[in-house]
Amino acid sequence: MELDLRPNGKLPIEYCRYISEIEEPTRLKYNEYTSNLITSNSIKSMGWFNRLTCRNTHLSNLLHCFCRIELLKYALAANKGIDRVRVDSFGMYKASQRIVKSMNSGATVVLSKSNSVNSSPISNFLKSCYKLANSFIWPKLFGVKKIPNEKIIYLDTFLFIDSFDANNTYQDRYYPGIEKLVKDKNKIWYSPTLIGINHPKNFYHLFKAIRSSSKQFLIKEEWLKFSDYISAIFLSFTLTRTITSIPLLDNLKIEELVNEEIRKDKFSMDIINPILIYLFIKRLKMSNIEIELVVDWNENQVIDRALIMGIRKFYSDTRIHGYQGYIVPDFYACKDPTVIEYESKTLPDEIFVIGKKFIEDKKKYCSSLSVSVAPAFRFSEIKKIKREPKKISNTIILILPISIKESKEIINIGLKLNKLIGNEYDFYLKQHPTYTREKLFKVFPEIKNSSIKILNKGLYSLLSETKLLISSSSSVCIEASIIGIKVAIIGSRSGPAMNPLKALEGFTNWQVCYTEKEVLNLLLSPTIKVNIETEDYLSSVQFSSLLQS
């Protein structure tokens, strides 16, 4: 029997359930390993921008690999008849060989060619130079730099291609309604990271919208100098050389796995971006811009660290509030700070969560954190929905997360389910905001010829009559569950299930599903009434200190 440990491989459902069960203890081990790596390499200053220090599971594969290593040990120890182990990275190949040898197994480890995007230093360098050239040239041609003339509240956010509507009105996905918390809304300046803005036409349309917007924006690309980009490219190589000591994992040598992660960072935008954010804060200080308060959309990523470290360096008296306005699976390890991050001052002065039920959970790895409650800005619409049993129709919605791999698994099961019951149910699909419709059809061409309808707007009005929501990772899962919609979390066939509802008390109308038949059984099962106090999870508190310096 072959055990396929590739990221795009397919495991037996039995193993999928097992790897989901052991994800939490493996994550604790991963946190400890990361702390040991930081300590053994005396990481400081911009060394914190290395992906290995961050625990961002969208950026680093290390926790995924740790889970697969634990699965391999289990399968070999249980005498499951494993005679071949298939992997697609040299790091996993060497680690798997050592495990097979230590457990006296006769299994053969096979290294297959990876289908992942090339991330060699040369490839990274060429891609980064192209993106940096666009970031340097077009904002200076199309943009109109606005300069604050009084103290500001710096609001960290993100801009996408569709962040402005046809009338150039800003569609705030992160802090809708935040201006109600401050007397003078002119003090708020949005400072975005640009997502998916890579081509001249993207910059032109974006800056045209910004010029027409009533909101005030600090665009870092308008402030950075040519020398900043050169410095960032140089540092993106030298900073990766700060990690030379590689700890063992339970006495297992994994230096090849770690070196693969280091190699991915060299000259990549993943490490260049935080460097540029740090230098941007320096440019603001040099221009005598006064910052009264910083609100960081905090996921504890390297870009968050760059903002925090820049403010601490150049605006030492300015308070930093980290707003975590999202609900995602605990597998996204970086969202929950650790002691070493707290002691190294890479965290905000105070973290704000969107419900009192999340306060203690946020302190689970570091009890010293200061955690408070702020309004759940993004979730205000869900509280307006009134579900009436007689108005619930045969509607099923597929919500795609940011991960292409997870989205493919959701679409695959959605299409199979549609073939079974498509004559009785209406199927809708909501794409992630990082995808245009053109990109959606390019990445998932099978949707184009299906009867599944693409939903661009009106998600919340449709939720009021929906019977089933199919997704994984997405925060919409909690919104649907709170108002009584059944939620099918599509489990991964190559790793742990990305379930944002798993650790939430009182949420019972969901199930992790691996096949369309399991989803159908959930759909046809009796509805369990959910008795949840919405305010505990999605706060509407109007007297938060989020914008108080």
Side-chain angles (χ1 to χ4, degrees), residues 314-510:
F314 304 110
Y315 292 90
S316 57
D317 294 331
T318 297
R319 188 165 175 82
I320 306 168
H321 290 169
Y323 178 69
Q324 295 198 350
Y326 52 86
I327 300 165
V328 295
D330 284 347
F331 185 85
Y332 187 48
C334 61
K335 73 181 178 69
D336 297 315
T338 58
V339 171
I340 196 167
E341 293 167 341
Y342 175 81
E343 293 176 343
S344 300
K345 301 186 184 304
T346 65
L347 301 174
D349 295 304
E350 189 169 4
I351 291 176
F352 288 80
V353 293
I354 56 175
K356 64 182 183 181
K357 287 285 189 179
F358 299 114
I359 292 177
E360 289 308 312
D361 184 68
K362 191 54 54 183
K363 297 180 179 182
K364 61 188 172 189
Y365 302 140
C366 180
S367 60
S368 300
L369 292 177
S370 176
V371 184
S372 300
V373 175
F377 299 112
R378 298 172 78 185
F379 301 92
S380 58
E381 289 297 318
I382 201 68
K383 296 182 180 181
K384 301 174 185 178
I385 293 178
K386 304 295 182 185
R387 276 171 64 84
E388 300 177 28
K390 62 181 180 180
K391 292 185 178 180
I392 296 175
S393 63
N394 286 352
T395 299
I396 295 174
I397 304 180
L398 283 66
I399 303 289
L400 301 187
I402 192 171
S403 165
I404 292 177
K405 178 178 171 297
E406 290 176 49
S407 296
K408 283 183 176 179
E409 291 174 327
I410 292 167
I411 289 171
N412 180 45
I413 285 185
L415 288 171
K416 290 179 180 178
L417 187 65
N418 182 253
K419 285 184 178 181
L420 290 176
I421 57 173
N423 294 331
E424 305 170 52
Y425 288 81
D426 293 320
F427 282 72
Y428 293 88
L429 182 144
K430 178 67 174 175
Q431 68 214 55
H432 192 269
T434 54
Y435 288 89
T436 60
R437 179 174 287 213
E438 292 74 20
K439 184 177 179 181
L440 179 73
F441 287 145
K442 183 179 179 180
V443 178
F444 311 110
E446 59 269 36
I447 299 173
K448 199 167 187 179
N449 298 320
S450 75
S451 61
I452 298 177
K453 304 176 185 70
I454 307 300
L455 186 65
N456 288 326
K457 294 182 179 179
L459 171 63
Y460 289 101
S461 60
L462 192 59
L463 282 176
S464 65
E465 59 188 58
T466 296
K467 273 193 177 178
L468 177 70
L469 184 129
I470 303 174
S471 188
S472 70
S473 296
S474 175
S475 294
V476 180
C477 293
I478 188 173
E479 295 179 282
S481 186
I482 275 179
I483 62 174
I485 298 173
K486 294 175 183 176
V487 179
I489 305 293
I490 303 305
S492 171
R493 292 302 301 269
S494 62
M498 297 295 118
N499 183 3
L501 302 175
K502 182 180 179 180
L504 302 184
E505 182 182 346
F507 289 76
T508 55
N509 53 345
W510 61 267

Side-chain angles (χ1 to χ4, degrees), residues 181-199:
L181 296 183
V182 63
K183 290 182 180 179
D184 183 5
K185 67 179 183 180
N186 291 322
K187 294 181 72 172
I188 295 179
W189 286 68
Y190 295 82
S191 186
T193 295
L194 306 184
I195 305 294
I197 313 295
N198 298 318
H199 305 291

Side-chain angles (χ1 to χ4, degrees), residues 62 121 126 134 176 234 239 258 301 303 346 366 398 428 476:
L62 214 54
L126 295 175
N134 279 298
F234 175 75
L239 288 176
V258 174
Q301 296 184 1
I303 56 174
T346 65
C366 180
L398 283 66
Y428 293 88
V476 180

Side-chain angles (χ1 to χ4, degrees), residues 81-347:
I82 304 298
D83 56 17
R84 183 165 54 186
V85 180
R86 188 173 296 277
V87 297
D88 68 355
S89 80
F90 183 69
M92 276 299 291
Y93 175 73
K94 296 300 290 184
S96 298
Q97 277 192 326
R98 292 177 184 123
I99 292 169
V100 167
K101 183 178 179 181
S102 68
M103 299 185 69
N104 297 316
S105 169
T108 302
V109 182
V110 178
L111 176 60
S112 298
K113 184 178 179 181
S114 174
N115 293 321
S116 61
V117 178
N118 185 0
S119 59
S120 69
I122 294 175
S123 173
N124 286 343
F125 179 78
L126 295 175
K127 292 175 184 176
S128 294
C129 284
Y130 172 77
K131 291 181 178 179
L132 293 175
N134 279 298
S135 296
F136 177 72
I137 295 170
W138 305 121
K140 300 204 170 30
L141 290 179
F142 301 145
V144 177
K145 184 166 73 173
K146 297 181 180 179
I147 302 176
N149 54 20
E150 59 181 357
K151 283 188 176 183
I152 68 168
I153 296 174
Y154 179 113
L155 200 62
D156 173 53
T157 189
F158 301 86
L159 284 183
F160 301 88
I161 293 173
D162 63 345
S163 289
F164 293 86
D165 65 15
N167 298 317
N168 291 332
T169 301
Y170 178 46
Q171 306 298 303
D172 190 353
R173 291 191 179 98
Y174 294 88
Y175 310 94
I178 192 171
E179 293 175 346
K180 296 175 182 178
L181 296 183
V182 63
K183 290 182 180 179
D184 183 5
K185 67 179 183 180
N186 291 322
K187 294 181 72 172
I188 295 179
W189 286 68
Y190 295 82
S191 186
T193 295
L194 306 184
I195 305 294
I197 313 295
N198 298 318
H199 305 291
K201 67 176 182 179
N202 300 148
F203 282 102
Y204 171 74
H205 291 300
L206 178 67
F207 282 98
K208 180 183 176 182
I210 289 174
R211 283 198 299 269
S212 304
S213 176
S214 60
K215 308 296 183 184
Q216 301 173 116
F217 288 91
L218 281 174
I219 309 294
K220 75 174 185 296
E221 288 79 3
E222 294 183 313
W223 293 77
L224 292 168
K225 307 294 185 183
F226 182 75
S227 59
D228 295 325
Y229 290 97
I230 298 300
S231 296
I233 292 172
F234 175 75
L235 287 168
S236 71
F237 177 75
T238 58
L239 288 176
T240 59
R241 304 179 71 178
T242 59
I243 298 177
T244 56
S245 175
I246 301 175
L248 299 177
L249 174 67
D250 292 339
N251 295 317
L252 176 67
K253 185 179 177 183
I254 59 167
E255 65 177 27
E256 295 88 359
L257 266 179
V258 174
N259 283 329
E260 284 177 346
E261 296 295 313
I262 295 173
R263 180 181 172 85
K264 290 175 188 175
D265 257 344
K266 290 180 179 178
F267 297 121
S268 81
M269 289 302 298
D270 296 323
I271 194 168
I272 288 174
N273 270 330
I275 296 169
L276 291 177
I277 290 171
Y278 183 87
L279 296 176
F280 166 53
I281 301 302
K282 181 180 179 181
R283 290 293 175 191
L284 292 180
K285 183 64 176 179
M286 292 171 68
S287 300
N288 296 315
I289 304 301
E290 295 184 86
I291 301 177
E292 177 182 307
L293 173 70
V294 170
V295 178
D296 168 39
W297 178 270
N298 185 264
E299 298 184 24
N300 199 20
Q301 296 184 1
V302 289
I303 56 174
D304 298 300
R305 289 177 178 174
L307 173 59
I308 291 165
M309 291 168 65
I311 294 295
R312 293 251 162 85
K313 173 71 174 178
F314 304 110
Y315 292 90
S316 57
D317 294 331
T318 297
R319 188 165 175 82
I320 306 168
H321 290 169
Y323 178 69
Q324 295 198 350
Y326 52 86
I327 300 165
V328 295
D330 284 347
F331 185 85
Y332 187 48
C334 61
K335 73 181 178 69
D336 297 315
T338 58
V339 171
I340 196 167
E341 293 167 341
Y342 175 81
E343 293 176 343
S344 300
K345 301 186 184 304
T346 65
L347 301 174

